[in-house]
Amino acid sequence: MTKNFLLVTLRSLRRQPVYAAINVGGLAVGLACCLLLALYLQNALSYDRFLERADDTYRLARDFPVDGGTERLAWTSGPVGPIIAASLPEVEAATRIATSDDKVLVENERYRAYETGFVYADANLFGFFGLPVRGGQIEDALAQPYTVALSASTAARYFGEADAVGNEVEVDGTPYEIIGVFEDLPSNTHLRFDMVGSRASQIADGLDPTSWTRGGAMTYVRLEAGQSPADVEAKLPALVRIHDTAGFLPADRFTLTPVTDIHLFARHASEYTPQGDIRYVLLFGAVAFVILLVACINYANLATAQAARRGAEVGVRKTLGAGRGQLVRQFLGESALLCGAAMLLAVGLAEAALPYLNAQLDLALSIPWTSPLLLATLALAIGLVAFLAGGYPALVLARFEPVRALQGRGLGAGARRLRQGLIVFQLAASVALIACTLVMNRQMELIQQSRPGFGDAQVLMLDTHGGLDGRYGALRTALEGVAAVEAVTTTSFSPGRPTAITFIDPSTVEGTTATETLVLNAYQAGAGFASVFGFDIVAGRPLREPAPGSDAASRVLLNEAAMQRLGWTEAVGRQLDLFGSPHLVAGVLEDFHAESLHEPVGPAVFMTAAPVASDYVAVKVAPGDLAATLAAVQGTWDRLVPERPFAYSFLDADFDALHRTELRLEALFALCAALAIGIACLGLFGMAALTTVQRTKEIGIRKVLGASVASIAALLSTEYVKLVAVAVVVAGPLAYLAMRTWLASFAYRVDLNLGLFVLAGVAALALTLVAVGVHALRAATADPVRSLRHD
């Protein structure tokens, strides 16, 4: 019996190769997309699950008042962690991780580099999280000053195959003993460090461990099993007030964030690594479901549409005694065979596309082919998809009445209406995906156009690592001698980089309407800063090079947001007390985005940079042979600053990094949308082919009676045009709500206008007409004699 079923299935597929190819191809692409998106979702949802006792581990955050609201910080004052661990019986242990805003220069005789993954931590860090150690006695030795533990890959960079333990590296000029090597942290963790220095090193360098104003850190606590974090949160304010005698944190509120929620749910200020967003997980989960559903709908539609062609087969089989259950098994078996073939093809497609996905999302995902769970999941997926895609067609075909089936009248109006409903769903999904892609693309264009220095010229940002010890003047002169260099300045500004802040008492400001303490971001800026970065001076003049003995160093620029916050209509010539000394406002700079477009432009002041140079030397270079220009700039740097590595970035790339997640996911979403739309169009193509065949005789009769090619093509296409109109009405509001929710996280966003959704509907209509029109024109131009002979 099984052999007979298999032979019938193979013969049926061989007679209809286009039908089989469309189903297998559509299902394969849908399953491959689902497999890849499932890997992405599993990775996002598994963050920090590997940590020891992750369910009992929390990170402490503090809410503090600012500008009439509150802001939640991911770091707390240094003493808080030890006080909590010592005072609350619900807390089993605590540990701290302190990060630096700046890169540290690490070097030995073999290698040197600016390291961004350097942190200071308590000695119990590795035991607290259960991080695997490859060599050394980290927990014992990390309690000593000037000791450091390296990740395995970092140790290999500095020492090759030699044992790193017991050797030394210099950290910003200070020798540190390497007391251990730990395994590289996996990619699915918010803990991102390659080098862990002892907190005792900071204390040896002068940090007061009892200070509430210095030595802040990320504080983690592990609760005793079964303890409630809400109970601990309720006790923290009173506990802090007892020990914080100076009242540094009087109005703060503390919260405990589960460590497993940090990546997707914690949107705290002062995170030291970029975090994910649960909204993107839900978005791509929905996209994966839609893609698979569209592929399944293709199968169901094509199978039911060709029911009339298989009606005679069903009638004969029933006449010969085949029961309904036997026919259902036959058609479900065909579905399972097609799904199995599609799954094999999907596996190959997923493996081929995985490198692109990893590059796009900066991940290291892999498909665990040896996992029994994966194999069981794939087998379950084949069965589930076979049932979803083939269940209804099997039931439709199996319940045909033999006489009606043999007469070719087995398919009723109900099945036709269901087909139309499924087509509307496909088209609505296509319209919604097109609309969402258009909105995302426009928002990304707004981000690109909002970059500082946006234009043809490039701005190189050379990291001085804290200044150049008086050599800036010589370096600037030498760089200005490079042919492609247009201008050079110095600054502490870099997109997304934390900066100094200054507090201004409004009672000391003449003519202000502010009543509360003002907080301004403070940047250093050299002469020519505005022109190098492409900013406009909207009032006054730019900063100038201070002459010896002049007061030019006390001149500052304000941005428009700062002038507005101060309540000034005119700012030039007014005085501000900054960092304990008076400064005159020389000009007003246009607002620009120092942070991502998720945040509003903050008030900022730009102060004349010291002659030793700020954190960066900004070099504006003309378009052209960028590689040659970069080599010339590096040669100048190596000659004048030989003891420091040449570290650079491009200003536009630094700004794009603020939106790396959005830019990458927008591209991935556009690809997924294109695949879903392509699958839907493939299904419409197959549907049009089958329905055209079913109406062959009707078309022949119409042509004999004088119908034109255009009228016949219009007749065959009209039904689909109506379905597109219904789909637009269904999809428009859904896409609008989805995009309004997504855009709500941006302080600066594009408008959701009707034109975008009309354009999405027109695009869906054009794709539908292309998919359907090919068959409509072919049928309309066919020889009517052959059409009337059609069997």
Side-chain angles (χ1 to χ4, degrees):
M1 184 66 71
T2 302
K3 179 180 178 182
N4 180 61
F5 280 174
L6 184 60
L7 288 174
V8 171
T9 298
L10 293 176
R11 287 170 183 168
S12 175
L13 296 177
R14 188 170 63 247
R15 286 196 301 269
Q16 303 173 72
V18 174
Y19 159 77
I22 289 176
N23 271 310
V24 172
L27 280 175
V29 173
L31 288 169
C33 289
C34 285
L35 180 58
L36 292 175
L37 290 175
L39 285 175
Y40 163 71
L41 298 177
Q42 187 275 335
N43 178 75
L45 294 172
S46 67
Y47 260 66
D48 296 309
R49 296 281 177 187
F50 73 95
L51 298 176
E52 188 174 280
R53 292 187 57 188
D55 291 335
D56 294 322
T57 303
Y58 301 82
R59 188 180 68 186
L60 193 65
R62 54 185 284 248
D63 295 346
F64 71 100
V66 57
D67 291 336
T70 60
E71 186 169 12
R72 179 165 293 179
L73 289 180
W75 61 270
T76 60
S77 296
V80 172
I83 288 173
I84 291 175
S87 305
L88 298 181
E90 298 92 342
V91 177
E92 182 180 306
T95 195
R96 295 167 294 179
I97 300 175
T99 61
S100 172
D101 293 337
D102 298 315
K103 306 169 186 175
V104 297
L105 178 59
V106 181
E107 56 188 323
N108 63 359
E109 65 279 358
R110 171 190 171 92
Y111 186 80
R112 69 173 181 167
Y114 289 130
E115 298 286 354
T116 58
F118 189 101
V119 301
Y120 290 99
D122 288 329
N124 68 338
L125 174 74
F126 291 89
F128 181 91
F129 287 117
L131 302 178
V133 176
R134 179 178 291 188
Q137 300 295 321
I138 291 181
E139 290 205 27
D140 294 335
L142 204 58
Q144 303 302 316
Y146 306 118
T147 56
V148 64
L150 308 183
S151 68
S153 59
T154 302
R157 280 193 285 123
Y158 283 89
F159 296 96
E161 296 182 359
D163 187 7
V165 178
N167 285 295
E168 287 187 348
V169 291
E170 287 192 0
V171 179
D172 282 340
T174 301
Y176 274 66
E177 180 187 359
I178 301 169
I179 46 81
V181 176
F182 58 93
E183 298 289 351
D184 288 353
L185 297 177
S187 61
N188 58 338
T189 178
H190 81 284
L191 300 173
R192 301 289 176 87
F193 48 77
D194 302 309
M195 313 179 84
V196 181
S198 64
R199 189 168 177 84
S201 307
Q202 294 180 297
I203 296 173
D205 287 336
L207 174 66
D208 180 0
T210 65
S211 172
W212 288 80
T213 59
R214 297 183 62 239
M218 307 278 186
T219 301
Y220 298 83
V221 298
R222 185 169 65 235
L223 304 187
E224 296 283 356
Q227 294 297 324
S228 168
D231 293 341
V232 175
E233 289 175 352
K235 294 181 179 181
L236 289 178
L239 178 64
V240 169
R241 279 195 295 270
I242 293 173
H243 294 82
D244 178 21
T245 56
F248 179 64
L249 308 176
D252 283 19
R253 175 178 175 268
F254 294 90
T255 58
L256 293 177
T257 303
V259 71
T260 52
D261 287 353
I262 290 174
H263 178 65
L264 293 178
F265 297 96
R267 309 294 296 178
H268 299 169
S270 70
E271 293 280 5
Y272 79 101
T273 56
Q275 300 303 319
D277 194 328
I278 186 61
R279 290 172 298 181
Y280 288 112
V281 173
L282 297 175
L283 175 65
F284 282 100
V287 170
F289 176 75
V290 168
I291 289 175
L292 184 59
L293 198 56
V294 167
C296 290
I297 287 173
N298 275 351
Y299 185 99
N301 269 344
L302 291 172
T304 53
Q306 69 155 358
R309 300 185 64 188
R310 301 193 67 176
E313 173 194 342
V314 172
V316 170
R317 291 170 66 87
K318 279 199 166 186
T319 301
L320 295 176
R324 183 175 177 179
Q326 188 179 30
L327 291 172
V328 169
R329 288 192 297 273
Q330 169 69 44
F331 294 121
L332 282 178
E334 290 183 14
S335 178
L337 185 64
L338 282 174
C339 289
M343 182 62 78
L344 290 175
L345 181 57
V347 165
L349 292 174
E351 192 67 58
L354 193 57
Y356 168 81
L357 182 69
N358 283 330
Q360 191 70 21
L361 299 179
D362 194 23
L363 296 173
L365 302 178
S366 61
I367 304 176
W369 296 120
T370 59
S371 168
L373 179 61
L374 174 67
L375 299 178
T377 302
L378 293 179
L380 179 63
I382 292 175
L384 183 61
V385 173
F387 178 77
L388 290 175
Y392 180 76
L395 294 174
V396 168
L397 290 168
R399 71 167 181 257
F400 278 7
E401 298 175 12
V403 175
R404 291 175 60 86
L406 290 171
Q407 292 175 344
R409 298 187 292 112
L411 192 61
R416 182 172 176 273
R417 285 194 295 270
L418 177 63
R419 277 210 328 268
Q420 290 177 333
L422 294 177
I423 291 173
V424 167
F425 176 87
Q426 286 182 301
L427 292 171
S430 299
V431 171
L433 290 171
I434 292 171
C436 291
T437 302
L438 290 174
V439 173
M440 287 185 170
N441 182 259
R442 285 196 60 193
Q443 181 65 19
M444 294 305 109
E445 288 180 356
L446 176 64
I447 288 173
Q448 298 289 328
Q449 293 165 3
S450 302
R451 298 182 306 189
F454 188 80
D456 293 332
Q458 289 276 10
V459 179
L460 276 172
M461 302 293 288
L462 310 183
D463 193 337
T464 69
H465 197 56
L468 294 175
D469 304 325
R471 288 172 289 179
Y472 168 63
L475 178 64
R476 183 185 63 188
T477 301
L479 289 173
E480 288 173 342
V482 176
V485 172
E486 296 182 348
V488 180
T489 191
T490 181
T491 182
S492 64
F493 164 74
S494 180
R497 181 182 182 273
T499 187
I501 58 175
T502 181
F503 297 90
I504 300 178
D505 182 354
S507 65
T508 66
V509 181
E510 179 187 357
T512 183
T513 59
T515 58
E516 297 181 352
T517 299
L518 299 166
V519 182
L520 272 64
N521 292 319
Y523 301 96
Q524 292 185 339
F529 169 78
S531 62
V532 168
F533 284 84
F535 301 144
D536 290 332
I537 301 292
V538 297
R541 61 169 178 79
L543 297 178
R544 296 172 180 169
E545 196 76 33
S550 74
D551 64 348
S554 65
R555 307 285 178 170
V556 299
L557 296 177
L558 297 179
N559 69 347
E560 293 171 297
M563 188 173 72
Q564 185 177 23
R565 186 68 59 86
L566 287 163
W568 286 344
T569 56
E570 295 288 340
V572 178
R574 290 182 180 270
Q575 181 173 299
L576 285 175
D577 288 335
L578 304 171
F579 299 103
S581 61
H583 291 72
L584 288 178
V585 179
V588 179
L589 196 66
E590 68 171 335
D591 282 340
F592 63 89
H593 297 281
E595 302 292 339
S596 76
L597 266 66
H598 290 284
E599 306 296 334
V601 173
V605 58
F606 300 84
M607 310 174 68
T608 305
V612 295
S614 300
D615 299 327
Y616 298 93
V617 173
V619 183
K620 186 175 184 179
V621 298
D625 190 351
L626 200 57
T629 302
L630 190 60
V633 170
Q634 181 174 0
T636 303
W637 176 278
D638 291 341
R639 177 168 53 85
L640 296 177
V641 197
E643 77 282 3
R644 298 188 185 180
F646 178 68
Y648 73 94
S649 62
F650 289 99
L651 179 65
D652 56 354
D654 290 342
F655 188 78
D656 287 346
L658 300 177
H659 302 89
R660 183 178 289 117
T661 299
E662 286 83 5
L663 290 167
R664 289 175 172 175
L665 292 181
E666 186 267 340
L668 182 60
F669 183 88
L671 177 61
C672 292
L675 291 173
I677 294 166
I679 294 171
C681 289
L682 193 64
L684 288 174
F685 183 84
M687 279 290 300
L690 288 173
T691 54
T692 301
V693 169
Q694 292 170 6
R695 302 181 69 173
T696 299
K697 287 186 177 181
E698 175 192 346
I699 294 168
I701 293 172
R702 287 179 179 275
K703 291 197 70 174
V704 169
L705 295 177
S708 65
V709 172
S711 64
I712 293 175
L715 173 70
L716 296 175
S717 303
T718 299
E719 178 184 356
Y720 293 96
V721 173
K722 293 178 181 178
L723 296 179
V724 170
V726 176
V728 171
V729 173
V730 172
L734 296 176
Y736 176 85
L737 291 175
M739 287 297 95
R740 189 177 69 173
T741 302
W742 180 68
L743 289 172
S745 65
F746 292 91
Y748 303 91
R749 50 187 176 267
V750 296
D751 294 327
L752 287 175
N753 56 64
L754 182 62
L756 288 175
F757 299 95
V758 172
L759 181 59
V762 171
L765 177 61
L767 291 172
T768 301
L769 290 178
V770 169
V772 175
V774 172
H775 299 292
L777 289 174
R778 182 181 299 169
T781 56
D783 184 354
V785 175
R786 298 186 61 182
S787 299
L788 292 172
R789 289 177 178 174
H790 176 74
D791 186 10

